[in-house]
Amino acid sequence: MLKEVNSVEFKELADKGLVLADFFSTTCGPCKMLGFVLKDVEKEFGDDLTILKVDFDQNKELTAEYSVAGYPTLILLKDGVEVKRLQGLQQKPMIVNMVKEAL
Amino acid sequence: MGVLYKEMEHIIDRQYEAEKAFLAEYEKGSYTIENPYVVVNPYLIAPLTALVMFEAEKPAFAKITVKGKDAAGDYMYRPASHMTHMVLPIYGLYDDYENTVVIELSTGETKELKIQTEAASEKLKKPTSMKTTPEYFGDSMMFVSPTSPAYTAAYDYAGDARWYNTLNLAFDLKRARNGRLFVGTDRLVAPPYHTTGIYEMGMIGKIYKEFRIPGGYHHDEWEMENGNILILSQILERGTVEDYCVMVDRETGEILKTWDHQEVLPVYPTGGSGSQDAHDWFHNNAVWYDKKTNSLTFSGRHQDIIINRDFETGKLNWIIGDPEGWPEDMQKYFFKPVGEGEFDWQYEQHACMVLPNGDIMCFDNGHWRSKVKENYWPAKDNFSRGVIYRINTDDMTIQQVWQYGKERGAEFFSTYICNCEYYEDGHYLVHSGGIGKKGDEYLNFPGASLVDEIESGEVQLSSITVEVKDDVVMYEMHLPANYYRAEKLHLYDEGDRLTFGKGQLLGHITATEEFMTEAPAEPAGMIPDDYKTKIAKEADRVVFKASFDKGTLVMLNLEGKNGTPTRHYFVPTTKRPFLAMCVGTFLEHDARAVEFPVGTENIPGEYEITVTVDDKKYETGVTLNV
C-alpha cells in the first residue's frame, strides 16, 4: 500500500508491521522523483510493506516527533520502532535492500 | 533562441593548436636577436607572459630583464641553457602597458624589446593597500587563487600584478618539484566547486598534464618525493563529499592508494562544527605528508579537527581539536592542553602543516568557536589567526607556542578558506582570505555565495595577506576579493622549461550516476526558451546548463540510438544549503541556474538529448556522438 497520510492516519498505521515513512515536500524535486521510485518499490513488496507519504510542511508535530530535519527523509519502522533512516533521494535498489533486511 | 549547443575543445587541444601555429609562423621567417619573433600570451591563458624566439650566431646564455615601473620592479632571470636556438619565456609583464624587455646574451649582444599588453578585465583585482619594502620582498611574487569573481594572479612588492591566468582555476596553487605549478582545474564534475582534478602547468600557461580523478578534486594536493600526487577527493556515488584522499601515479594518472576518512572517524553528527551537515560531514581541506613519521595530516573543517593517519595503514594516530562532545571511545586520540601559556583550540581550520620540529601549524578560522551551539561566537566578536601547537604524542599533551591574528579581532576574521606558510622559525605567512562585510556588519558565513550582492557592492569581500618575521609585520597586502590561499613564489624557476608538444589528459572522470527510475512524462515538443538550455560537449563530458524554478523535477535523458542504451540522470534543482561555499567562482547570477556535467568516457554511442521537466518531456534537437 502507498498512500499520503496526515498525522492522525500516520499514527494509526505506523505500528502495524513494516512501514516506510516518506517525509516529502511538494516544493522539492528530489521528493517528486522519490515518489516515482516508491511506486516501483511498492510493486516489489505488495502487502508486505506499507508506504506512508507525509507532507513535511503540513505535519510539523510529526516531523518534530521523528526528528526529521530535512526532506526527503525515509524512515523504516517495524512495529512502530525505527529500524533505519535514509536522507535525500535514493535509488530503488538501496530502498529495496533496506526493506529486505528488515523483513 | 532554442537550445545553445557547442563543442568545446579542451584547453590542452587549444594550446596545442596555438603552439603549432606560432611554431609554423616562426619557421617561415628568419629571426635574429635584432629581429626576434615575439608572441604575447602564447598559451592563451597567461596574458602577462610572452615567448621570444630567434637564432643566435653562437651558443650563448641569455639574461632577461623585464623593466619595472621603477628600478626595484625590474624582474631579471637567466634561463638555464647554452644554445643558438633561443626560446625565451618572458615573465613579469605589466598589463595595459608598453613593457620594456632587455635581452642580453653572454656573447655581448643586447636587444631592447617593447611588448605591449592588453588591459585586463576587472577580475584582475588591484590591492587596496600594500605595505612592504623591495628590500624585504625582493623579486618574489604573492600568488593568490580566488573564491569570488577574480583571477588567479601574482603581485610584486609594489602591488602590481605581474602574472595572471584567465581560466577559472580553483583552490590550491603550488610549485611542483619540477618547477611547474599544480593548480585545480576549471572543469566541474559536481556542483558547486568539485572539479575534474589538477593541472600541471608551466608559468607561461602551458598545461602539460591534467590529472583527472574519478570523484573530482577539491581544496588541496601534495607532491610526494617520487613525484606521485596526493589529491583530496570523494566518492560521489555514496552521497558524501570531501572525505577521501587518493594518491595518483605521476606518469599514468592512475590511482595507487586511497585513504577513506569514514574508516577512522564517526560521521555526522559526531563532532560537528557549526557548518556540518550529513553530506559534508568532514570537509577535508588540507593534506600534508610528514616523512619523519611517515604519516598524513588532514584538516577537517566540519569536525573542527586536524587528524594524523599512518601513511601505510591509514590508522588514526591522533586528533587535534576541542574534544567536547566526542564519544568516549574517541577521547584517547585527543590532546590535553598543558602549561601556563595562552591556549585556544582551533575551529573550522585550514591548511594544516607539520613543521620541521614536529610542531603543527594551521590557519584557525575560529568560525563559531565552540562545540556548543548556544555558545557560538558572533562574527563581530570573533577572530582568526595563524597558530602553532606543540604536541607530545607520548603523554598526549599540547601547548600553543605561537599565534598571529587574534589581536586584530573581526577585521582579520575569515569564516572560511585561508592558509599559513612556514619559511623558517619565526618567519611565517598568515593569509586571511575570506573576510566579508555587509555594510558595517561582518559576515558569519562564506561571502563567496552572494554573487549578486558582491556585484552590486552590497557585500564587500576582502583578503589580508601578512608576513611576520620575529613578530614584526614585514608585508601586508589587502585585496578586494576573497582568495583561497596565498603562496609566495618566483615567476621564474630553472626547472620550468618550456617543452613543445601536446599536453596529456591522464586518469579518468567517474561515470555519472544514472538514475534507474524514469519519471513518467508526456512528449511536449521542443524545450521552451524560458529554460535557457545550453549543452556543451567536451572530449570527456557533456555539460547541461539551464534555468529552472527551485523544486522542479528535472531529468536529463540520453536517448540511445542504433542499439545504444538510454540513460537517465536526475538533475537537482533544489540548491543544497552549502555551508562551506569554498569557491564561488562557478556560481551563476541566476539563482535558478543549474549546471550538470555528465562524464561520457564510459558511455560510447549515439544519443538524442531530451529533458524531462515535471510531467513533460522536451526535445533539445541535440544529437551526441560519444
Side-chain angles (χ1 to χ4, degrees):
Chain A
M1 178 176 69
L2 187 157
K3 67 182 289 193
E4 185 173 341
V5 294
N6 59 29
S7 296
V8 176
E9 294 167 314
F10 183 88
K11 286 184 176 171
E12 286 171 1
L13 295 167
D15 59 354
K16 293 183 172 54
L18 206 54
V19 171
L20 183 61
D22 169 25
F23 289 84
F24 74 98
S25 167
T26 55
T27 61
C28 149
C31 299
K32 293 176 187 173
M33 192 66 231
L34 186 59
F36 295 120
V37 177
L38 292 176
K39 281 183 181 173
D40 275 357
V41 171
E42 182 200 15
K43 290 176 196 162
E44 185 106 5
F45 291 101
D47 293 340
D48 291 337
L49 177 70
T50 301
I51 302 174
L52 302 179
K53 293 177 66 65
V54 180
D55 188 325
F56 182 93
D57 301 308
Q58 301 295 323
N59 297 280
K60 292 291 184 191
E61 281 184 22
L62 203 55
T63 57
E65 185 180 333
Y66 281 87
S67 302
V68 177
Y71 45 77
T73 296
L74 290 174
I75 302 178
L76 186 64
L77 304 167
K78 191 169 188 178
D79 299 326
V81 178
E82 180 173 338
V83 177
K84 183 109 184 189
R85 176 180 295 229
L86 296 172
Q87 290 177 309
L89 177 59
Q90 308 293 332
Q91 299 255 36
K92 182 181 168 187
M94 173 74 101
I95 301 169
V96 167
N97 289 340
M98 175 177 75
V99 174
K100 279 182 177 170
E101 282 175 18
L103 276 173
Chain B
M1 175 182 141
V3 174
L4 290 178
Y5 173 77
K6 68 175 176 180
E7 298 198 358
M8 293 167 57
E9 276 188 293
H10 192 284
I11 184 63
I12 284 176
D13 295 317
R14 290 171 52 213
Q15 290 188 336
Y16 184 49
E17 292 304 313
E19 185 181 274
K20 284 194 294 188
F22 69 68
L23 288 176
E25 185 70 19
Y26 180 74
E27 289 302 318
K28 286 184 202 165
S30 177
Y31 298 98
T32 67
I33 188 168
E34 281 306 312
N35 174 35
Y37 179 75
V38 180
V39 53
V40 179
N41 191 14
Y43 290 95
L44 314 174
I45 59 173
L48 302 186
T49 69
L51 192 61
V52 173
M53 298 169 65
F54 60 89
E55 303 298 322
E57 289 187 2
K58 297 177 185 172
F61 293 101
K63 173 183 164 188
I64 296 167
T65 306
V66 176
K67 301 299 286 184
K69 289 183 176 175
D70 54 39
D74 283 2
Y75 190 71
M76 188 277 287
Y77 53 98
R78 300 170 191 270
S81 57
H82 185 245
M83 55 195 172
T84 56
H85 177 59
M86 293 285 174
V87 179
L88 304 176
I90 306 299
Y91 306 128
L93 303 173
Y94 297 91
D95 82 298
D96 194 19
Y97 190 68
E98 186 181 58
N99 291 271
T100 300
V101 178
V102 179
I103 297 173
E104 299 168 79
L105 299 184
S106 54
T107 51
E109 296 161 283
T110 296
K111 174 68 177 177
E112 184 174 294
L113 296 172
K114 296 293 184 187
I115 298 179
Q116 178 67 47
T117 52
E118 293 183 1
S121 80
E122 61 179 19
K123 288 174 75 175
L124 182 62
K125 301 298 181 187
K126 297 188 188 319
T128 54
S129 172
M130 171 61 86
K131 292 176 186 168
T132 190
T133 62
E135 292 75 22
Y136 169 76
F137 204 63
D139 60 359
S140 296
M141 302 285 165
M142 191 63 77
F143 283 72
V144 286
S145 47
T147 63
S148 62
Y151 286 137
T152 296
Y155 298 88
D156 68 9
Y157 79 96
D160 286 313
R162 306 294 291 269
W163 185 91
Y164 70 96
N165 194 296
T166 52
L167 291 186
N168 193 11
L169 302 174
F171 290 115
D172 185 49
L173 179 147
K174 57 168 61 94
R175 181 81 76 185
R177 291 174 190 274
N178 66 6
R180 294 172 182 164
L181 302 171
F182 286 136
V183 65
T185 75
D186 55 327
R187 303 195 307 133
L188 276 187
V189 289
Y193 54 64
H194 300 115
T195 66
T196 54
I198 62 170
Y199 290 134
E200 180 179 326
M201 178 177 72
M203 193 64 77
I204 203 160
K206 176 159 182 172
I207 294 169
Y208 293 95
K209 292 178 180 175
E210 178 183 343
F211 295 95
R212 298 176 297 174
I213 309 301
Y217 157 84
H218 61 89
H219 287 97
D220 202 9
E221 66 280 352
W222 175 274
E223 184 182 15
M224 302 294 286
E225 271 188 1
N226 63 5
N228 293 337
I229 314 165
L230 303 172
I231 299 179
L232 297 184
S233 185
Q234 55 256 311
I235 303 170
L236 288 169
E237 52 270 32
R238 74 178 176 189
T240 59
V241 292
E242 303 178 23
D243 53 4
Y244 196 63
C245 177
V246 301
M247 183 166 72
V248 166
D249 186 290
R250 184 62 171 278
E251 298 306 316
T252 67
E254 296 303 315
I255 291 175
L256 302 172
K257 192 170 171 62
T258 64
W259 295 266
D260 182 356
H261 301 317
Q262 290 197 18
E263 291 177 358
V264 295
L265 291 170
V267 300
Y268 175 84
T270 306
S273 76
S275 301
Q276 191 196 48
D277 62 18
H279 176 67
D280 193 5
W281 64 276
F282 186 60
H283 198 89
N284 184 188
N285 57 30
V287 55
W288 186 278
Y289 174 73
D290 180 50
K291 189 177 178 181
K292 280 184 192 167
T293 54
N294 194 30
S295 68
L296 295 169
T297 302
F298 298 98
S299 163
R301 179 183 189 253
H302 290 181
Q303 289 190 326
D304 296 320
I305 57 173
I306 296 169
I307 65 170
N308 182 268
R309 300 183 64 179
D310 184 85
F311 178 84
E312 295 299 337
T313 67
K315 183 175 84 64
L316 182 64
N317 293 324
W318 49 254
I319 299 174
I320 295 177
D322 184 343
E324 184 170 1
W326 281 79
E328 194 55 40
D329 65 331
M330 295 297 294
Q331 291 292 332
K332 64 186 177 194
Y333 295 108
F334 286 84
F335 292 90
K336 182 182 176 188
V338 293
E340 300 300 312
E342 187 177 353
F343 186 91
D344 292 299
W345 289 117
Q346 87 289 347
Y347 296 88
E348 298 208 348
Q349 74 291 321
H350 285 76
C352 56
M353 292 182 284
V354 181
L355 304 188
N357 68 352
D359 285 351
I360 307 299
M361 186 176 200
C362 73
F363 187 91
D364 168 23
N365 296 73
H367 193 209
W368 309 117
R369 205 165 280 289
S370 176
K371 303 301 292 182
V372 180
K373 191 173 184 180
E374 290 69 28
N375 297 334
Y376 286 170
W377 287 37
K380 67 181 176 59
D381 299 330
N382 212 337
F383 61 91
S384 296
R385 61 186 180 143
V387 62
I388 299 176
Y389 296 116
R390 183 153 298 157
I391 57 172
N392 182 331
T393 54
D394 293 328
D395 62 7
M396 294 302 286
T397 57
I398 186 169
Q399 296 178 74
Q400 180 179 304
V401 295
W402 181 86
Q403 64 175 330
Y404 173 85
K406 182 176 181 179
E407 67 283 5
R408 298 185 66 154
E411 63 127 357
F412 201 65
F413 174 59
S414 288
T415 59
Y416 76 127
I417 59 174
C418 311
N419 71 308
C420 295
E421 293 289 336
Y422 168 91
Y423 301 127
E424 60 186 339
D425 287 350
H427 192 191
Y428 314 110
L429 173 146
V430 183
H431 169 71
S432 187
I435 302 163
K437 286 185 86 174
K438 188 172 185 178
D440 293 331
E441 193 175 326
Y442 286 97
L443 296 182
N444 211 5
F445 57 89
S449 58
L450 304 174
V451 181
D452 292 323
E453 291 89 338
I454 295 167
E455 186 169 277
S456 70
E458 192 180 343
V459 163
Q460 301 85 41
L461 302 184
S462 61
S463 166
I464 301 176
T465 309
V466 176
E467 288 193 359
V468 184
K469 190 170 188 180
D470 299 328
D471 294 325
V472 177
V473 173
M474 303 299 292
Y475 173 98
E476 182 161 331
M477 175 171 68
H478 295 208
L479 282 163
N482 279 174
Y483 291 91
Y484 177 65
R485 285 186 182 180
E487 178 98 16
K488 186 165 72 174
L489 299 171
H490 289 279
L491 289 171
Y492 175 74
D493 186 284
E494 189 177 310
D496 180 13
R497 296 187 187 186
L498 176 60
T499 56
F500 296 131
K502 190 174 178 180
Q504 295 174 277
L505 203 53
L506 301 174
H508 307 280
I509 299 177
T510 195
T512 306
E513 184 182 19
E514 294 177 38
F515 211 80
M516 296 170 181
T517 306
E518 184 183 3
E522 293 181 359
M526 283 298 289
I527 193 162
D529 288 352
D530 290 353
Y531 295 133
K532 300 175 187 171
T533 309
K534 297 176 189 170
I535 296 170
K537 179 176 180 286
E538 292 181 331
D540 54 1
R541 60 179 195 151
V542 170
V543 182
F544 169 72
K545 290 187 177 186
S547 182
F548 299 105
D549 287 331
K550 177 186 168 190
T552 306
L553 188 160
V554 177
M555 288 200 95
L556 179 68
N557 309 300
L558 301 189
E559 314 267 2
K561 298 292 166 194
N562 302 318
T564 302
T566 292
R567 303 170 191 281
H568 306 284
Y569 302 92
F570 178 78
V571 179
T573 57
T574 306
K575 293 275 188 288
R576 194 181 289 279
F578 289 102
L579 298 170
M581 185 58 75
C582 296
V583 173
T585 54
F586 294 99
L587 299 179
E588 304 268 356
H589 283 284
D590 182 356
R592 299 161 69 235
V594 165
E595 178 170 351
F596 189 81
V598 176
T600 56
E601 278 194 310
N602 301 311
I603 55 166
E606 183 181 356
Y607 301 97
E608 280 182 11
I609 298 183
T610 64
V611 181
T612 301
V613 182
D614 286 328
D615 56 354
K616 296 192 167 44
K617 184 186 275 190
Y618 296 105
E619 297 167 17
T620 64
V622 174
T623 300
L624 281 180
N625 278 295
V626 177

